[in-house]
Amino acid sequence: MNPAPPVTGPVVGVLALQGAFSDHLERLAAIDVDARIVKRPEHLDGVDALVLPGGESTTMSMLLDTSGLRDPLSDLLGDGLPVFGTCAGMILCASDVLDGRPDQHGFDLIDITVRRNGYGRQLDSFETDLDVAGLDAPFHAVFIRAPRVERVGAGVEIVAEHDGIPVLVRDGTCTVAAFHPELTNDTRLHELFVAQLTGN
Ligand code: GLN
């Protein structure tokens, strides 16, 4: 008789074309999630959810094309693959991007308008403590040349704001953050994302 298969949780892919993917892998490993790098289309096999990390959305857009990942990823995301997009990843998920390059293209997964590098020069990078719906203590958030959310569509849930501007929003299985939740040891936002996959 074969032994019973081990009980496994969801497999989370982390797009690893460029940017801050290794910190996401570390945060997910810290909460015992089976996290895998996604660099090529075959890496999507068996993936239950995806993280789109921070980095440079223009470069990521180009690498999505050269890697052959754009079409298979679009299909999976269009079919509802849960996604957590952070910073550049937020830009890739947004329906409308201001100050983008004409040749950058995203996945149009959530009805928001974001302005690339929208916090301007003085606030290029900053850190702040956020009140996040669902967390009972503030989350220390690191913003690096962050996109600024300028419009949130009906039905998009605002999970956290900074100075009255949404910085963490969600629509169904698409969650996007203007900041970098992977750059501190606080795993609570990764835990919330994974909890949504397992229904816990
Ligand atoms: N400014 C970057 C972009 O436009 C995003 C910055 C980041 O991910 N830290 O893609």
Side-chain angles (χ1 to χ4, degrees):
M1 213 170 83
N2 290 329
V7 179
T8 52
V11 175
V12 177
V14 178
L15 186 70
L17 297 174
Q18 188 264 344
F21 56 87
S22 57
D23 296 288
H24 275 293
L25 290 164
E26 279 176 30
R27 295 291 90 72
L28 290 163
I31 55 170
D32 294 327
V33 168
D34 184 351
R36 305 186 184 168
I37 62 163
V38 173
K39 279 183 194 262
R40 292 196 295 275
E42 59 268 31
H43 297 157
L44 291 168
D45 290 348
V47 159
D48 299 307
L50 192 75
V51 172
L52 298 178
E56 186 49 60
S57 57
T58 52
T59 309
M60 267 189 239
S61 175
M62 190 187 75
L63 293 172
L64 280 167
D65 291 322
T66 54
S67 64
L69 272 167
R70 183 181 297 276
D71 287 347
L73 210 47
S74 276
D75 289 347
L76 286 172
L77 292 167
D79 286 345
L81 185 79
V83 62
F84 187 17
T86 62
C87 204
M90 172 188 248
I91 297 170
L92 288 176
C93 292
S95 57
D96 299 282
V97 177
L98 304 175
D99 293 342
R101 269 184 26 179
D103 59 348
Q104 86 177 91
H105 304 290
F107 295 111
D108 189 5
L109 298 173
I110 186 163
D111 183 22
I112 56 173
T113 301
V114 297
R115 186 176 296 279
R116 280 184 68 223
N117 306 326
Y119 283 89
R121 279 198 162 200
Q122 280 181 333
L123 281 180
D124 213 351
S125 298
F126 61 99
E127 301 187 15
T128 189
D129 287 333
L130 300 174
D131 287 327
V132 176
L135 299 184
D136 49 17
F139 189 92
H140 189 73
V142 180
F143 290 75
I144 304 171
R145 299 180 63 233
R148 183 176 164 117
V149 176
E150 299 204 348
R151 182 192 61 86
V152 170
V156 174
E157 185 190 347
I158 297 172
V159 186
E161 292 182 334
H162 171 61
D163 282 350
I165 296 171
V167 292
L168 178 62
V169 299
R170 177 164 55 210
D171 188 359
T173 53
C174 177
T175 305
V176 289
F179 54 93
H180 283 262
E182 78 287 7
L183 291 185
T184 67
N185 287 329
D186 191 339
T187 54
R188 288 177 297 162
L189 291 185
H190 291 83
E191 286 170 56
L192 278 185
F193 178 61
V194 173
Q196 171 194 299
L197 308 175
T198 57
N200 289 323

